[in-house]
């Protein structure tokens, strides 16, 4: 602890807001996963009270996140009406999806829907961040980042499941798609978790899992 009661974890969490560097984020995650203690006084009432925060520096970040979320919402909305496999052209299932009974297609629909609504929530929360109030921006980030991470992950799974459903009659190609998709999904998660994860982990099991990659 420092003289004024701050632990290393307190300082790391404060620096996440003041200077969003990836190295600082990884340092914070290492402290969290190692079970580092917090000080007796909240950081928001101590460290941040000595600063004069400026919400203007978050403007570019808000705009970038909103652009990404808008692209995800657009692509997933479009994918919902251009379903893989096409539509049935004969009665009694006229206009229905030809792959509706396939498990992979159902996974595609669930993940595509999840990605679209998650990206919409991200956009709405970032609209509030446009007001420029620092406390509102930070709260908006706490909502937007996890949902954006969920949207990107769900969109990736939806693409993999939709492609798998469309070529399910070719087993070798299906396995190749699943293998490539699983590898890149793992890479995506390793890149996303430090950026979109919330500022606190209370579950020892989750800390134990994240300890090894980070």
């Amino acid at each position: 602890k420092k003289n004024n009661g701050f632990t290393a974890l307190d300082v790391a969490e404060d620096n996440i807001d003041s200077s969003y560097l990836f190295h600082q984020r990884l340092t914070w995650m290492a402290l969290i996963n190692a079970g580092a203690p917090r000080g007796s006084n909240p950081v928001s009432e101590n460290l941040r009270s000595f600063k004069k925060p400026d919400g203007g520096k978050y403007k570019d970040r808000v705009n970038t996140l909103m652009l990404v979320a808008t692209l995800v919402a657009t692509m997933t909305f479009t994918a919902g009406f251009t379903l893989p496999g096409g539509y049935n052209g004969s009665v009694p299932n006229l206009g229905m999806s030809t792959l509706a009974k396939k498990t992979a297609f159902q996974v595609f629909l669930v993940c595509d829907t999840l990605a679209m609504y998650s990206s919409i929530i991200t956009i709405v929360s970032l609209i509030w961040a446009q007001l420029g109030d620092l406390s509102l921006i930070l709260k908006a980030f706490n909502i937007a980042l996890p949902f954006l991470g969920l949207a990107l992950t769900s969109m990736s799974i939806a693409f993999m499941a939709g492609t798998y459903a469309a070529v399910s009659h070719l087993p070798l190609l299906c396995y190749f798609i699943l293998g490539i998709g699983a590898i890149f999904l793992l890479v995506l998660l390793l890149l996303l978790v430090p950026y979109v994860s919330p500022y606190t982990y209370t579950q020892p099991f989750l800390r134990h899992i994240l300890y090894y990659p980070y």
Side-chain angles (χ1 to χ4, degrees):
K1 289 187 178 182
K2 290 190 172 184
N3 294 332
N4 46 10
F6 304 142
T7 65
L9 182 56
D10 293 331
V11 176
E13 288 184 340
D14 181 70
N15 286 335
I16 289 175
D17 291 335
S18 61
S19 182
Y20 200 94
L21 299 178
F22 188 69
H23 179 73
Q24 293 175 345
R25 187 75 171 185
L26 290 180
T27 301
W28 164 78
M29 292 193 67
L31 291 169
I32 285 288
N33 296 329
R38 289 187 172 86
S40 56
N41 298 320
V43 175
S44 58
E45 297 177 3
N46 290 278
L47 286 174
R48 290 170 189 166
S49 64
F50 297 104
K51 298 181 178 181
K52 294 181 179 179
D54 178 18
K57 66 180 180 181
Y58 294 98
K59 182 178 180 180
D60 291 338
R61 187 178 169 200
V62 170
N63 292 336
T64 300
L65 292 176
M66 185 171 290
L67 175 61
V68 174
T70 303
L71 290 174
V72 173
T74 302
M75 289 186 291
T76 52
F77 181 85
T78 303
F81 291 95
T82 55
L83 302 177
Y87 299 91
N88 202 315
S90 58
V91 293
N93 298 318
L94 182 64
M96 305 296 290
S97 173
T98 58
L99 302 178
K101 295 183 179 181
K102 290 185 175 294
T103 302
F105 179 79
Q106 295 169 5
V107 172
F108 162 80
L109 282 182
V110 171
C111 291
D112 186 75
T113 303
L114 188 61
M116 191 192 73
Y117 284 117
S118 297
S119 60
I120 291 175
I121 292 176
T122 302
I123 293 171
V124 173
S125 61
L126 291 175
I127 288 175
W128 281 99
Q130 296 276 8
L131 296 178
D133 179 75
L134 181 63
S135 61
L136 193 58
I137 290 175
L138 296 179
K139 291 178 181 178
F141 281 162
N142 287 338
I143 297 174
L145 291 178
F147 275 104
L148 181 59
L150 178 62
L152 292 172
T153 304
S154 299
M155 184 176 65
S156 302
I157 297 175
F159 176 82
M160 181 170 59
T163 307
Y164 177 89
V167 297
S168 57
H169 59 290
L170 301 174
L172 185 61
L173 183 58
C174 287
Y175 296 143
F176 179 78
I177 290 173
L178 287 179
I180 293 295
I183 292 173
F184 281 90
L185 184 61
L186 178 60
V187 174
L188 174 66
L189 290 175
L190 289 175
L191 292 173
L192 275 177
V193 168
Y195 188 76
V196 305
S197 58
Y199 285 1
T200 168
Y201 293 129
T202 57
Q203 297 295 328
F205 178 72
L206 184 59
R207 291 204 306 264
H208 182 73
I209 292 177
L210 295 179
Y211 172 81
Y212 293 99
Y214 297 111

